[in-house]
Amino acid sequence: MMCMSAHPFHVMTKPIGPRCNINCSYCYYLEKETLYPDEKRFRMSDAVLERYVRDYIGSQTATGMRNVLFAWQGGEPTMLGLDFFEKAVALQKKHCPKGVTIENAFQTNGMLLDDDWGAFLARERFLIGISIDGPARIHNAYRRDRAGRPTFDKVMAGLEVLKRHKVEFNILTTVHRENAIHGKEIYRFLSGLGTQHLQFIPIVERRAGNGPLASAPQVDDNPDNVVTEWSVTPRVYGKFLCEVFDSWYRRDVGRIFVQFIENQVAMWYGYPASLCIFSETCGTGLALEHNGDLYTCDHYVYPEYRLGNIMETPMAEMAASERMEQFGLDKRDGLTAQCRACSYRFACNGGCPKHRFLVSRDGEPGHNYFCESNMAFFHHAGDRLKSVMLQPAR
């Protein structure tokens, strides 16, 4: 009998693997090509696609879910062409039980979007996340194509396609060395682009000492914890969060929804985290590669975190495996003593395990790189976070 997951889980699907039409300096996923040295196409086959669609719907509905969300990412998913997603939607309709709603979202750099894409995305009600790092001079600092050319103008053209076809979209912004010092400007620019929903993701990558992808980075690989030149520093990221919060709080409560702030407001009211990085445990957000390989997390696509392949083992069985459960519990059990004693633990829970490579005040390894950032934000915004739900929309 197939072991079913006791709870719903989320899958970030990489149907084109790490292939992308641009070459962002800070992208951690482009190097994943070396995981599959013999791969030429990096395109999910029809057989893998149908197995995924069928099994994912089945695994979610078995837990009582009546809404099933498919999340497509890359690389750049639009490189697969419109026909791939037309096929995916047809398969979803084929395998969808009565009374279940299917939703789709994908993350894109927007450069390949045209009116054909716009019409399809509107008709099938896709939610699009479009990556924009700020105004042109800031966006183009790291987001350039493979010939080194700036991408901002093409991204803006893609954004206009979404607006023209009334496709629902949000904006995802990576926070790095170049844009983190411009918190107010970044927020003003993004909040004027026509969406109510903004996401900010801080960029930090340690320099690997054992070569890319040999295994997940270990402390001994980089004992001095040297980070890449595009990584945001904890102090500057904390200041960025505070500037964004102040700008939002002054005029946009109830009008603009910033994912980080939404999550914190809920947690300060005692609700569970909506962002996995702030949850007490993890282990419900898996990553699926183009060939059906399933990994514990999008940030742990390394050989030792491969759970198996969906063509060989049911997805739900892997999601409910002891390995996956332990991966999730390790986040809670690996907290430093400083974290366990912290009065803000309820709002942070030690952050993402990927970012736990500093030492605590007591010299204990495994402390969160962004601890200083979060503490700055909590001290700055904590009292106002408690009052946000009581304020009317402006």
Side-chain angles (χ1 to χ4, degrees):
M1 180 180 296
M2 184 174 74
C3 176
M4 299 300 293
S5 178
H7 50 72
F9 57 90
H10 176 72
V11 176
M12 186 173 290
T13 315
K14 312 276 190 172
I16 197 168
R19 287 286 170 87
C20 191
N21 56 333
I22 65 175
N23 188 25
C24 300
S25 303
Y26 52 68
C27 183
Y28 69 94
Y29 214 79
L30 293 178
E31 70 172 12
K32 304 301 181 184
E33 285 194 18
T34 59
L35 275 175
Y36 304 98
D38 299 324
E39 182 63 74
K40 304 298 182 186
R41 300 184 67 218
F42 280 96
R43 182 184 180 92
M44 184 174 281
S45 69
D46 290 351
V48 172
L49 177 61
E50 180 153 19
R51 178 69 60 86
Y52 166 52
V53 169
R54 185 196 70 190
D55 287 4
Y56 186 58
I57 292 173
S59 68
Q60 299 302 290
T61 56
T63 65
M65 296 290 289
R66 309 312 291 169
N67 273 52
V68 179
L69 172 65
F70 284 82
W72 310 93
Q73 203 176 59
E76 174 50 45
T78 57
M79 288 177 65
L80 289 164
L82 198 50
D83 62 317
F84 177 89
F85 288 97
E86 289 173 335
K87 188 178 302 180
V89 168
L91 288 170
Q92 290 169 352
K93 293 174 180 177
K94 173 183 174 181
H95 293 290
C96 182
K98 186 177 181 179
V100 172
T101 300
I102 302 293
E103 298 176 345
N104 285 280
F106 74 65
Q107 187 66 35
T108 177
N109 58 44
M111 291 177 59
L112 298 180
L113 296 176
D114 57 18
D115 285 325
D116 289 339
W117 271 105
F120 167 79
L121 296 171
R123 183 175 68 250
E124 301 300 340
R125 303 177 65 85
F126 271 58
L127 169 64
I128 303 303
I130 188 165
S131 298
I132 305 172
D133 279 1
R137 76 180 194 284
I138 297 173
H139 175 94
N140 289 331
Y142 292 135
R143 298 188 68 82
R144 292 180 170 267
D145 68 16
R146 292 187 172 275
R149 295 169 299 202
T151 62
F152 181 81
D153 290 343
K154 288 187 176 180
V155 175
M156 289 297 105
L159 181 61
E160 288 305 313
V161 169
L162 299 178
K163 292 180 179 180
R164 188 160 61 246
H165 289 273
K166 296 180 171 55
V167 177
E168 186 178 357
F169 69 93
N170 59 43
I171 294 172
L172 187 151
T173 300
T174 55
V175 185
H176 45 69
R177 195 69 59 93
E178 291 293 324
N179 65 1
I181 58 175
H182 302 290
K184 294 177 184 178
E185 180 185 2
I186 296 293
Y187 179 79
R188 282 198 303 269
F189 174 76
L190 297 175
S191 61
L193 290 180
T195 181
Q196 291 183 298
H197 298 275
L198 305 177
Q199 300 179 53
F200 295 104
I201 297 180
I203 294 293
V204 58
E205 294 290 335
R206 294 169 64 216
R207 287 291 184 193
N210 61 342
L213 295 179
S215 64
Q218 304 295 320
V219 174
D220 292 344
D221 300 333
N222 184 350
D224 296 322
N225 286 320
V226 177
V227 297
T228 58
E229 59 270 23
W230 48 79
S231 295
V232 63
T233 64
R235 182 186 63 81
V236 173
Y237 183 54
K239 186 172 185 291
F240 175 90
L241 291 174
C242 293
E243 288 187 0
V244 167
F245 179 82
D246 288 345
S247 298
W248 170 83
Y249 190 81
R250 278 196 295 269
R251 60 186 179 91
D252 289 334
V253 173
R255 189 177 75 86
I256 299 291
F257 300 91
V258 181
Q259 187 185 49
F260 177 90
I261 298 174
E262 279 189 90
N263 177 86
Q264 285 302 320
V265 169
M267 295 188 78
W268 282 70
Y269 268 84
Y271 293 102
S274 57
L275 281 171
C276 62
I277 60 172
F278 293 124
S279 63
E280 184 177 30
T281 61
C282 55
T284 59
L286 297 85
L288 181 71
E289 258 293 340
H290 68 290
N291 68 337
D293 284 348
L294 192 67
Y295 293 85
T296 56
C297 173
D298 176 53
H299 288 288
Y300 282 84
V301 179
Y302 298 102
E304 64 267 44
Y305 291 96
R306 178 182 177 273
L307 296 168
N309 189 286
I310 65 171
M311 303 301 285
E312 300 166 356
T313 308
M315 184 183 305
E317 182 176 323
M318 289 186 278
S321 66
E322 290 185 7
R323 282 184 63 200
M324 194 66 198
E325 182 181 7
Q326 190 59 53
F327 174 79
L329 293 174
D330 284 346
K331 178 183 181 183
R332 180 197 65 195
D333 298 343
L335 287 175
T336 61
Q338 180 180 333
C339 275
R340 292 195 298 271
C342 180
S343 60
Y344 293 114
R345 177 180 170 182
F346 73 92
C348 173
N349 285 307
C352 178
K354 182 189 178 185
H355 299 149
R356 293 181 182 179
F357 55 83
L358 296 188
V359 295
S360 69
R361 286 193 299 262
D362 301 325
E364 187 180 359
H367 200 68
N368 183 11
Y369 178 86
F370 290 113
C371 176
E372 180 183 347
S373 317
N374 293 333
M375 292 295 286
F377 178 80
F378 298 150
H379 283 296
H380 180 78
D383 289 341
R384 286 177 289 172
L385 286 170
K386 296 177 183 177
S387 70
V388 165
M389 284 190 178
L390 305 177
Q391 295 190 37
R394 299 172 185 174

